[in-house]
Amino acid sequence: MGILFWYIVRQYLGLLTLCLTGLVTIYLVIDFFEKLRRFLRHDADLSSMLLYFVLKIPDISFQLMPFAVLMASLLTIGLLNKNHEITAMRSCGVSLVHVTIPFLAVAGLVTVILLGLTAVVIPLANAKAEYLRTVKIQKKPQPLSFTSENLWVHTHDHSLMHVERVDPDGTWLRTVTVYRLNNRFSLDAFLTATGAVYTDGEWSLHDVVQRVVDPDGGVETIQWTTLPLALSLTPADLMTWNALEPEHMTLNQLGTHIERLRLEKQNATKFLADYWRRVAFASVPLIMTILGVSIGLLETGTRTASIGKGIGQALSISFLFWATNSVGMTLGKSGALLPVVAAWIACVMFLIVSLNIFLKVRY
């Protein structure tokens, strides 16, 4: 790793940082003004809103990194070519393969970082952001978990509710247990029910057994066929949590969840598709770097490179990749393709194109 290697790395990293920062800033500004009116309707404080958008930065960066890498690759090669630096390198006996190595090294590092982000950091940040949006901003009851199974909810003062499973439509809660605590936070009473149903804007428990704990330690049992449940959450809120469930799981948790669904003979296609999408998407910066560098090197010795042209090429290629990847994921989640094939199909297609262009470069 000589001076030339680190010179190209500095050039590339500088433009990559600039591109990613600009893209994330534009995204955040648009998203901020889109959600501002909705947040202000709930009298949200500024600190909660700002923290919400800060927590969304890892996920936004993950989504925009391939575009930033592609744009930075095209611009870096374009600027080196425009200043005749690549020509000077070749006249000194440096092959274009050696020029490409610094780009691949940075792209490999970016891929490793993205894998770490999508495996652990992004799910935790998304869960915290969803908590802020639901509880701090929209003033909903505090959810102690964001999964459709083993859901814990703080219903009101000194009461906790556990739900074994939430149905996909959010209108039926299966095996509900409510724990009521006194002012000293010791168990005052608890009730169990086979389920809770949402009808006419209200929740009601079915087949309820309540056990009241006396001060002397005795337990009194009372049974009801139905009993109202004071819960301000609506089926729409629960459906939102269900829909966001994969985003709030680390890759390890998601893999465990998939295995459990398989053992229970349940459909795990959606979770498999999301698992492989996250793994495959982390490798996209490496593919985009090969593609960007290859396109840039094809123009070595010309003066056609420009910032506008590089941005235009990056936009066009990113749109094609996004469209191809979206179609693949749609087919995968519908069951038309295997989830692993659906997640990797766009990556493989663009890798083949990238290598084909790379091999056409005159060395």
Side-chain angles (χ1 to χ4, degrees), residues 165 255-268 272:
R165 180 185 288 273
T256 303
H257 184 65
I258 290 169
E259 288 301 317
R260 190 188 58 75
L261 289 176
R262 283 173 169 170
L263 290 175
E264 295 179 358
K265 307 299 182 182
Q266 297 186 43
N267 186 7
L272 271 170

Side-chain angles (χ1 to χ4, degrees), residues 40-104:
L40 292 178
R41 192 183 305 145
H42 298 281
D43 297 323
D45 59 281
L46 183 61
S47 60
S48 296
M49 290 192 293
L50 291 178
L51 183 56
Y52 170 82
F53 288 105
V54 169
L55 290 169
K56 297 298 290 183
I57 289 178
D59 192 20
I60 295 169
S61 301
F62 181 78
Q63 300 297 331
L64 295 178
M65 182 60 80
F67 180 34
V69 163
L70 176 62
M71 187 184 298
S73 301
L74 288 166
L75 293 178
T76 304
I77 291 292
L79 290 174
L80 291 174
N81 184 39
K82 186 176 182 180
N83 296 329
H84 304 292
E85 292 176 89
I86 292 181
T87 303
M89 294 175 196
R90 296 192 66 183
S91 65
C92 293
V94 178
S95 68
L96 294 181
V97 174
H98 285 84
V99 174
T100 306
I101 291 175
F103 292 91
L104 297 180

Side-chain angles (χ1 to χ4, degrees), residues 12 16 63-75 77 103-104 107 110-111 280-296 313-325 346-347 349-351 353-355:
Y12 184 39
L16 177 58
Q63 300 297 331
L64 295 178
M65 182 60 80
F67 180 34
V69 163
L70 176 62
M71 187 184 298
S73 301
L74 288 166
L75 293 178
I77 291 292
F103 292 91
L104 297 180
V110 170
T111 296
F281 200 83
S283 67
V284 176
L286 186 59
I287 297 171
M288 290 299 177
T289 297
I290 298 173
L291 182 58
V293 171
S294 301
I295 293 174
Q313 289 174 328
L315 282 171
S316 302
I317 295 170
S318 298
F319 176 78
L320 287 174
F321 178 84
W322 174 82
T324 306
N325 189 58
C347 297
M349 290 174 61
F350 274 73
L351 178 61
V353 172
S354 301
L355 293 176

Side-chain angles (χ1 to χ4, degrees), residues 5-320:
F5 176 90
W6 291 112
Y7 172 75
I8 296 176
V9 166
R10 285 196 301 270
Q11 296 284 332
Y12 184 39
L13 280 177
L15 284 171
L16 177 58
T17 303
L18 181 63
C19 292
L20 183 61
T21 303
L23 290 171
V24 171
T25 301
I26 293 171
Y27 188 102
L28 285 174
V29 169
I30 295 173
D31 198 33
F32 177 79
F33 284 106
E34 181 184 347
K35 291 184 171 65
L36 181 61
R37 183 181 299 177
R38 224 180 312 163
F39 287 171
L40 292 178
R41 192 183 305 145
H42 298 281
D43 297 323
D45 59 281
L46 183 61
S47 60
S48 296
M49 290 192 293
L50 291 178
L51 183 56
Y52 170 82
F53 288 105
V54 169
L55 290 169
K56 297 298 290 183
I57 289 178
D59 192 20
I60 295 169
S61 301
F62 181 78
Q63 300 297 331
L64 295 178
M65 182 60 80
F67 180 34
V69 163
L70 176 62
M71 187 184 298
S73 301
L74 288 166
L75 293 178
T76 304
I77 291 292
L79 290 174
L80 291 174
N81 184 39
K82 186 176 182 180
N83 296 329
H84 304 292
E85 292 176 89
I86 292 181
T87 303
M89 294 175 196
R90 296 192 66 183
S91 65
C92 293
V94 178
S95 68
L96 294 181
V97 174
H98 285 84
V99 174
T100 306
I101 291 175
F103 292 91
L104 297 180
V106 173
L109 178 62
V110 170
T111 296
V112 172
I113 293 173
L114 290 187
L115 277 173
L117 286 176
T118 193
V120 179
V121 178
I122 292 175
L124 298 179
N126 283 342
K128 181 63 176 178
E130 187 64 18
Y131 165 81
L132 283 171
R133 185 188 67 82
T134 306
V135 179
K136 298 295 185 180
I137 296 176
Q138 296 183 353
K139 309 299 189 294
K140 296 284 186 180
Q142 179 179 358
L144 302 182
S145 69
F146 282 96
T147 62
S148 60
E149 299 173 1
N150 294 318
L151 175 68
W152 286 90
V153 179
H154 181 224
T155 55
H156 49 81
D157 290 342
H158 307 312
S159 292
L160 293 174
M161 183 178 73
H162 174 260
V163 180
E164 187 175 289
R165 180 185 288 273
V166 181
D167 276 14
D169 61 1
T171 58
W172 177 258
L173 311 180
R174 300 179 182 271
T175 313
V176 179
T177 306
V178 179
Y179 302 89
R180 293 175 181 168
L181 309 177
N182 55 32
N183 292 330
R184 298 185 304 275
F185 290 97
S186 53
L187 188 62
D188 207 16
F190 70 96
L191 58 86
T192 58
T194 57
V197 181
Y198 188 82
T199 54
D200 299 327
E202 295 181 350
W203 290 98
S204 60
L205 296 167
H206 290 254
D207 300 326
V208 185
V209 178
Q210 179 174 348
R211 295 174 175 84
V212 181
V213 181
D214 298 329
D216 59 359
V219 178
E220 179 185 358
T221 303
I222 308 173
Q223 295 183 345
W224 289 279
T225 304
T226 60
L227 190 68
L229 174 64
L231 182 64
S232 61
L233 290 171
T234 65
D237 296 326
L238 297 172
M239 287 176 66
T240 299
W241 293 357
N242 287 340
L244 293 174
E245 181 178 341
E247 296 181 7
H248 301 146
M249 289 183 180
T250 64
L251 281 182
N252 185 49
Q253 291 172 336
L254 192 53
T256 303
H257 184 65
I258 290 169
E259 288 301 317
R260 190 188 58 75
L261 289 176
R262 283 173 169 170
L263 290 175
E264 295 179 358
K265 307 299 182 182
Q266 297 186 43
N267 186 7
T269 301
K270 180 182 74 171
F271 299 96
L272 271 170
D274 188 80
Y275 182 93
W276 287 113
R277 177 191 64 82
R278 287 159 64 174
V279 174
F281 200 83
S283 67
V284 176
L286 186 59
I287 297 171
M288 290 299 177
T289 297
I290 298 173
L291 182 58
V293 171
S294 301
I295 293 174
L297 290 178
L298 282 176
E299 299 177 348
T300 301
T302 68
R303 297 185 179 183
T304 58
S306 67
I307 294 178
K309 183 178 180 181
I311 294 175
Q313 289 174 328
L315 282 171
S316 302
I317 295 170
S318 298
F319 176 78
L320 287 174

